[in-house]
Amino acid sequence: MTAQYTHGHHDSVLRSHSWRTAQNSCAYLLSSLTPNMHILDVGCGPGTITADLAKLVPAGHVTGIERSVEDVLQKARDHAAAQGVINITYAIDDVLALSFPDNSFDVVHAHQVLQHVSDPILALKEMLRVAKPGGIVAARDTDFEAMTWFPESKGIALWRKTHQQVARSNGGEPDAGRRMLSWALAAGLPKAQITASASTWCYSTPEEIAWWTSTWADRVLSSEFATSALERGFATQQDLDAMSQGWKTWSSQPDAWFGLLHGEILCHKV
């Protein structure tokens, strides 16, 4: 079964995803890169991380893939062109059944992808299959239950609970971060070939809080998350309005602070 993407590609979602860079989203991988590597970026979205990776392998090449959203891939192509990045291509593909031959890439990377697929273990097996011997599979996912904020907010708490319900009904696992090592082991890798780590995003300045809040206050009303929550009975329109207002009220507090934990794995193929 193919899972449904919880967020969809509403403008509020893409605004959030376009903020991501190689430095803030895959710093754990960067020291392993060399200039001539060939990289597969799984679930590349609007391509900001993908283009950054291509800049870091100027003598190599990066391929970004998405499952079925050509319009998002066009945004990624436009971003790469605006950045002057030419060692990059984009294609439709599925991480659960990658079309590439065995041993094709030096690095196979996935950021915030495994939480959305129906079988993250199979996804990792496919990523390992297309990685070259001596290559790396790198994956990083957030963990919704581990998100924390202050001051307390009933609206944001309701948002998290509802998001977890929607994501699981879509076939995904929103608390993926804590499971990354477990999934890699289940994919058949010995623990000695896995480096597990964690990192965070933290929003605390007024500018950061305003931006982060705007993406979620809009997303809970207008994205695929909102549609799914209503259709499946996880929330009423009144609930969604309360979530959106909860984000806005929380963000107006002078001591507003939000932290996100991410689980990371570097899998070394021998």
Side-chain angles (χ1 to χ4, degrees), residues 97-164:
L98 292 169
S99 63
F100 305 99
D102 296 357
N103 309 324
S104 295
F105 298 95
D106 300 292
V107 175
V108 184
H109 168 260
H111 183 262
Q112 312 289 19
V113 172
L114 297 183
Q115 64 181 287
H116 297 295
V117 301
S118 58
D119 191 339
I121 297 168
L122 175 59
L124 283 169
K125 288 179 178 179
E126 275 292 279
M127 293 167 71
L128 285 162
R129 178 184 66 78
V130 302
K132 295 177 182 178
I136 292 172
V137 168
R140 180 182 193 250
D141 270 86
T142 195
D143 192 299
F144 275 77
E145 187 62 33
M147 291 182 180
T148 186
W149 57 87
F150 190 84
E152 295 302 317
S153 166
K154 290 182 179 179
I156 297 178
L158 178 61
W159 157 78
R160 176 168 63 185
K161 176 184 176 182
T162 307
H163 185 281
Q164 289 168 311

Side-chain angles (χ1 to χ4, degrees), residues 5-253:
Y5 182 44
T6 295
H7 303 301
H9 294 91
H10 184 264
D11 176 68
S12 59
V13 179
L14 295 180
R15 287 205 314 271
S16 174
H17 292 182
S18 296
W19 165 82
R20 298 170 181 174
T21 66
Q23 191 58 52
N24 68 31
S25 297
C26 56
Y28 70 106
L29 168 65
L30 301 187
S31 64
S32 300
L33 301 183
T34 58
N36 62 346
M37 282 182 161
H38 285 240
I39 300 174
L40 177 64
D41 191 23
V42 176
C44 62
T48 50
I49 298 173
T50 323
D52 278 357
L53 291 173
K55 294 175 186 177
L56 294 171
V57 292
H61 189 271
V62 177
T63 301
I65 62 170
E66 272 287 347
R67 185 162 60 89
S68 60
V69 279
E70 184 61 40
D71 56 334
V72 173
L73 287 184
Q74 188 56 52
K75 291 181 184 294
R77 294 185 185 101
D78 292 344
H79 175 76
Q83 295 286 309
V85 179
I86 60 173
N87 60 328
I88 193 167
T89 54
Y90 292 97
I92 298 291
D93 214 325
D94 185 350
V95 69
L96 297 179
L98 292 169
S99 63
F100 305 99
D102 296 357
N103 309 324
S104 295
F105 298 95
D106 300 292
V107 175
V108 184
H109 168 260
H111 183 262
Q112 312 289 19
V113 172
L114 297 183
Q115 64 181 287
H116 297 295
V117 301
S118 58
D119 191 339
I121 297 168
L122 175 59
L124 283 169
K125 288 179 178 179
E126 275 292 279
M127 293 167 71
L128 285 162
R129 178 184 66 78
V130 302
K132 295 177 182 178
I136 292 172
V137 168
R140 180 182 193 250
D141 270 86
T142 195
D143 192 299
F144 275 77
E145 187 62 33
M147 291 182 180
T148 186
W149 57 87
F150 190 84
E152 295 302 317
S153 166
K154 290 182 179 179
I156 297 178
L158 178 61
W159 157 78
R160 176 168 63 185
K161 176 184 176 182
T162 307
H163 185 281
Q164 289 168 311
Q165 291 173 314
V166 170
R168 290 183 176 124
S169 73
N170 282 334
E173 175 46 67
D175 300 340
R178 68 190 66 190
R179 292 172 165 84
M180 303 296 279
L181 173 58
S182 178
W183 287 341
L185 292 169
L189 277 176
K191 194 167 185 178
Q193 291 172 220
I194 308 167
T195 302
S197 59
S199 61
T200 60
W201 288 338
C202 180
Y203 305 110
S204 61
T205 68
E207 295 78 15
E208 291 169 343
I209 292 292
W211 172 80
W212 180 242
T213 294
S214 72
T215 65
W216 280 109
D218 290 350
R219 202 185 300 194
V220 299
L221 295 177
S222 305
S223 69
E224 289 297 321
F225 161 80
T227 302
S228 298
L230 291 171
E231 289 179 348
R232 297 172 196 171
F234 295 126
T236 64
Q237 186 60 53
Q238 184 177 6
D239 291 330
L240 296 180
D241 292 341
M243 294 176 210
S244 182
Q245 186 57 50
W247 276 104
K248 294 173 182 177
T249 300
W250 169 81
S251 70
S252 69
Q253 306 302 307

